[in-house]
Amino acid sequence: MEPKIGLALGAGGAKGLAHIGVLQVLKEADIPIHIITGSSMGAAIGAIYAAGAQLGMMEKLALQLNNSHYLDLSIPKWGLVKGKKAHDLLRLLTHNYDFSDLPIALGVVATDLTTGERVVFREGNVANAVRASISVPGVIEPVVSGKSIYVDGAVTDRVPAQLAREMGADIVIAVDLQYYNRTKVEINNIYDVIMQSIELLERQARNYYTRYTDIIVKPRVCDYNWTDFAKAAYFIEMGRRACQEVVEEIKNKINNFIVKTGKD
């Protein structure tokens, strides 16, 4: 029996463009993806791919992306960035699909600031769910819905491998953009201050997701800031290299699963 393969894409801002390189290598190796889960930028990349976007188009878009495409500054109340530009872009790139329209099963993680709990979106409008997941506290305005205030999924689950398992994945591949500790830190603006603070907090729960994971892909992108979209080509290449390092291990996991289930 062929296994269901889940791909858990972690948070990381611009560094999340490395997910494109990971997806490229998996496709080139004919490794199918049946389930995608994502947090923050991982949710954005995962949703766009699950909606049917071609990887070549995604790479070209990433190379042209800059902060003006998604940063719409506001007078601070709940965030420095309104998030409308990002929301509009997400609607366009996901064809304004609902989850039920997607050819690949998708799970998006956000955090309810009022309860402190992880929230999983698997129905409704995809772009709306991703907009909630990318709401970095203090940077991008949260999404308010009823009594809930949704912020970045990374606050409670930065690499949603558990969700991939809960959605039925037999083999879970996790992409962790913060696996390695930073060797250098450049703090240039308020965005860097907030994101570096969040990353330090997230590291305290680093090993939580590993119990649900079979393979961890570890792009070496930790020394860059979340707004470094000018480094898109580098991030994509780092994603490719990291996935190439484990692609044979993934194939072995698949083959072993087929052999094992064939005997049962």
Side-chain angles (χ1 to χ4, degrees), residues 20 34 54 62 73 130 141 150 186 205 226 240:
I20 297 174
H34 305 94
Q54 297 297 312
L73 301 180
V130 176
E141 288 186 359
Y150 297 120
E186 292 186 8
W226 79 288
R240 288 187 59 86

Side-chain angles (χ1 to χ4, degrees), residues 11-73:
K15 293 176 285 188
L17 297 175
H19 295 317
I20 297 174
V22 172
L23 286 163
Q24 287 175 341
V25 171
L26 293 176
K27 185 173 181 61
E28 290 163 5
D30 292 323
I31 295 172
I33 300 300
H34 305 94
I35 296 164
I36 297 177
T37 60
S39 187
S40 199
M41 189 61 165
I45 297 296
I48 294 166
Y49 184 69
Q54 297 297 312
L55 288 169
M57 182 277 289
M58 292 176 68
E59 181 174 10
K60 289 179 181 177
L61 176 64
L63 295 176
Q64 296 174 5
L65 198 63
N66 61 58
N67 292 343
S68 68
H69 291 121
Y70 73 95
L71 287 182
D72 41 1
L73 301 180

Side-chain angles (χ1 to χ4, degrees), residues 50-125:
Q54 297 297 312
L55 288 169
M57 182 277 289
M58 292 176 68
E59 181 174 10
K60 289 179 181 177
L61 176 64
L63 295 176
Q64 296 174 5
L65 198 63
N66 61 58
N67 292 343
S68 68
H69 291 121
Y70 73 95
L71 287 182
D72 41 1
L73 301 180
S74 67
I75 298 173
K77 180 182 178 183
W78 284 352
L80 300 171
V81 177
K82 295 177 183 177
K84 186 179 184 302
K85 279 188 176 182
H87 200 177
D88 290 344
L89 186 60
L90 287 166
R91 283 199 187 99
L92 176 66
L93 296 176
T94 61
H95 310 291
N96 211 27
Y97 279 168
D98 283 351
F99 281 80
S100 58
D101 299 320
L102 299 173
I104 299 175
L106 176 70
V108 170
V109 174
T111 301
D112 188 339
L113 199 59
T114 62
T115 64
E117 296 178 345
R118 181 187 76 156
V119 177
V120 174
F121 293 98
R122 292 190 57 193
E123 59 183 26
N125 183 267

Side-chain angles (χ1 to χ4, degrees), residues 191-244:
Y191 303 111
D192 296 339
V193 170
I194 294 172
M195 289 307 300
Q196 175 63 7
S197 299
I198 292 172
E199 284 187 16
L200 288 172
L201 291 171
E202 288 172 358
R203 285 196 194 121
Q204 306 307 311
R206 166 175 291 175
N207 295 325
Y208 169 77
Y209 75 90
T210 59
R211 71 188 74 172
Y212 304 101
T213 304
D214 295 289
I215 305 287
I216 303 175
V217 183
K218 312 163 188 174
R220 294 182 178 274
V221 295
C222 59
D223 284 338
Y224 294 86
N225 291 329
W226 79 288
T227 53
D228 282 339
F229 284 96
K231 304 289 185 183
Y234 175 82
F235 294 147
I236 293 170
E237 178 59 24
M238 290 300 100
R240 288 187 59 86
R241 292 185 188 182
C243 194
Q244 287 166 345

